[in-house]
Amino acid sequence: TLSIQMDVETMIAIDNRKLSAPTTSTTTTTTANPYLCSNMTILAGYNMPGDDITSKILDSYALCCQWCLTYSGCVAFVWGVTGASTSRCYLKNAVPASTVDSKLISAHY
């Protein structure tokens, strides 16, 4: 609106748009877990000593996982992480108590 008075000019601007909160966006990044094995519980940095069915040297965690999944009676396994003194895969017929060992990865049903 514009109103005029003697020696005074006043201008008032009214914006009838609704004010809204600034919009925000969220980005979610999913990183694949390199230590997945079927629906097993993974214990990175843990050993499960005892209850071994068999063992052999395998080059990767994935191979150890696959071996356990296809080996009759295997319910858990332990594998040496890259750079560990051993990359031996130990298949288990039971789920023994776990102990801390940063050089090993364990998995069990």
Side-chain angles (χ1 to χ4, degrees), residues 9-72:
E9 244 179 71
T10 305
M11 188 157 105
I12 302 170
I14 300 173
D15 187 347
N16 289 327
R17 291 181 291 177
K18 284 188 161 187
L19 296 177
S20 60
T23 58
T24 58
S25 63
T26 303
T27 302
T28 303
T29 303
T30 303
T31 304
N33 183 344
Y35 298 117
L36 290 179
C37 186
S38 185
N39 62 342
M40 290 185 163
T41 300
I42 309 303
L43 303 171
Y46 286 87
N47 187 12
M48 292 186 298
D51 295 312
D52 295 347
I53 301 171
T54 187
S55 71
K56 69 179 172 182
I57 294 175
L58 290 173
D59 293 335
S60 72
Y61 172 87
L63 290 173
C64 189
C65 164
Q66 187 60 38
W67 188 33
C68 180
L69 294 176
T70 59
Y71 197 98
S72 180

